[in-house]
Amino acid sequence: MAFAAVFSANAQESSQVNYKVLGVDAEKTKVAISAGTEFAKTENVTLTAAFDDQYQYVGANGPKIDETSYKTVIVNGKSLFEDDYGLQGNTNPTGASGGNSANVSEAPTAGAVYKFTIGADGYLYVIHKASSNKQYQVSEGDKNGYSPIGYKFVASTDGSKASIPTAYGYDLQGYQLEGEKENLGHLPAGYKVEWPEVYYTGDAASAVKQNGLGVIKVPVYEGLEYLVNACGSKMTLLGYYFDKTGDANISIQNGVSADIVLLEKGEPVNCKAIDVKAAFAAQTAGINDVVAAKAENAVLYNLAGQKVSKDYKGVVIANGKKFIQK
């Protein structure tokens, strides 16, 4: 069984992936898994395979310092998982066009993708083996479709290359969908999700290419689903943490060296903010900022920012608020 925990009545909960669902006793043994297969579940979060694929379980250690790997994940002073094994798919995620979904800002439609179904508003922390030369993508939606959104990212490194310290991160900001009051991080159409090291260093290409443990943090909403994946690669997922406050402190330790702090009160260490709309204005030409609708005659939008009728079924945005029409 997966290791699941609820820390308090404040909806702090977590679970390691249940890699034993594969039914094998050896690492790196690939098993065909159907979409919807449950990998973990807590009160407000259900983790499943988004699409059919093959999965295996593998070790997911962080950087090695003092000859010992960082592999213990600590959240608010408590160890999160029983061990350092994670799940990894077999097929690179692709979008509806058949290519790398990150390059065209499409939500994935196939491949090694994890789906989180959310039962309460809060914050989801996806804990995984991270690499500075992999792209990551989060998409928000429901059965009617998904839209890529921004997120906060942080990862660890041993600091042996370039000037990257022991942790680095960024806040991938987005733009406002027309009809949406707050900036919830939706990525502009046609925007390419870049490698973490490109964001951090500002270089077109970098020689950092470090592997470690990382966290993707995203605000989540009751009744919605979130697809999380690596792009052009397969994410190794250890598990998740969920809370309603968004202020979790997360670090990793190896029992020898000082802990590597990844998040402090929910913010990535050494964080850089990336304003997608400002940085890629040419790609976002024609995207409008919020247009407030009158309450007595609210205009409805779907998650793609398109106007929909009152007969539309699914998640809609009206007057800057999200709700579900059934």
Side-chain angles (χ1 to χ4, degrees):
M1 297 295 293
F3 175 65
V6 176
F7 292 98
S8 74
N10 190 30
Q12 299 174 19
E13 56 197 69
S14 68
S15 182
Q16 184 173 359
V17 293
N18 182 11
Y19 55 86
K20 294 182 180 180
V21 73
L22 302 180
V24 295
D25 295 324
E27 288 186 67
K28 300 182 180 179
T29 302
K30 296 178 181 178
V31 177
I33 292 295
S34 300
T37 297
E38 187 176 292
F39 291 146
K41 185 173 183 178
T42 50
E43 182 179 359
N44 293 298
V45 181
T46 301
L47 168 63
T48 59
F51 311 110
D52 295 349
D53 198 28
Q54 291 183 316
Y55 280 85
Q56 60 184 329
Y57 78 88
V58 297
N61 292 344
K64 178 179 287 187
I65 301 177
D66 294 330
E67 304 302 320
T68 306
S69 293
Y70 280 77
K71 59 183 181 181
T72 302
V73 180
I74 306 296
V75 178
N76 296 335
K78 296 181 179 180
S79 178
L80 208 59
F81 305 138
E82 288 183 326
D83 54 45
D84 61 329
Y85 288 116
L87 281 172
Q88 182 185 85
N90 184 63
T91 308
N92 291 349
T94 54
S97 63
N100 185 334
S101 57
N103 293 341
V104 289
S105 285
E106 293 179 338
T109 57
V113 180
Y114 301 97
K115 181 167 74 173
F116 295 86
T117 301
I118 304 300
D121 292 357
Y123 295 85
L124 179 68
Y125 303 78
V126 179
I127 301 171
H128 61 107
K129 185 169 185 178
S131 175
S132 67
N133 65 327
K134 289 182 181 177
Q135 302 160 306
Y136 297 99
Q137 188 175 31
V138 180
S139 303
E140 177 186 68
D142 60 12
K143 63 182 180 181
N144 294 297
Y146 301 87
S147 174
I149 62 174
Y151 52 83
K152 295 179 185 292
F153 172 89
V154 64
S156 59
T157 171
D158 63 12
S160 64
K161 297 182 180 180
S163 58
I164 303 296
T166 54
Y168 68 101
Y170 59 80
D171 182 353
L172 179 59
Q173 300 169 354
Y175 76 109
Q176 292 173 320
L177 287 179
E178 190 168 342
E180 191 164 3
K181 185 177 181 180
E182 299 119 349
N183 181 342
L184 296 179
H186 294 77
L187 298 181
Y191 171 69
K192 180 179 179 181
V193 179
E194 295 283 1
W195 291 357
E197 65 188 30
V198 174
Y199 284 131
Y200 192 83
T201 65
D203 298 333
S206 171
V208 179
K209 294 188 174 68
Q210 291 285 293
N211 291 320
L213 294 179
V215 180
I216 291 172
K217 178 190 173 186
V218 63
V220 293
Y221 299 89
E222 179 180 358
L224 293 184
E225 299 168 348
Y226 295 82
L227 306 182
V228 181
N229 59 280
C231 303
S233 187
K234 283 76 63 176
M235 174 182 282
T236 299
L237 177 66
L238 280 81
Y240 63 84
Y241 174 82
F242 170 88
D243 66 22
K244 288 190 174 181
T245 59
D247 60 357
N249 295 302
I250 300 181
S251 61
I252 56 176
Q253 63 180 222
N254 65 356
V256 179
S257 302
D259 296 356
I260 297 176
V261 178
L262 301 180
L263 291 177
E264 289 186 306
K265 293 188 177 180
E267 294 303 314
V269 171
N270 301 312
C271 180
K272 290 190 175 183
I274 308 299
D275 187 332
V276 174
K277 190 173 181 181
F280 295 87
Q283 295 189 42
T284 61
I287 295 176
N288 299 318
D289 288 327
V290 62
V291 176
K294 293 182 178 180
E296 64 269 21
N297 188 26
V299 179
L300 303 179
Y301 300 86
N302 62 19
L303 288 174
Q306 302 164 326
K307 290 182 181 180
V308 296
S309 72
K310 293 182 179 180
D311 296 326
Y312 180 85
K313 305 295 184 184
V315 180
V316 296
I317 302 167
N319 290 335
K321 301 287 186 181
K322 287 183 183 178
F323 64 94
I324 300 175
Q325 287 198 143
K326 300 180 179 180

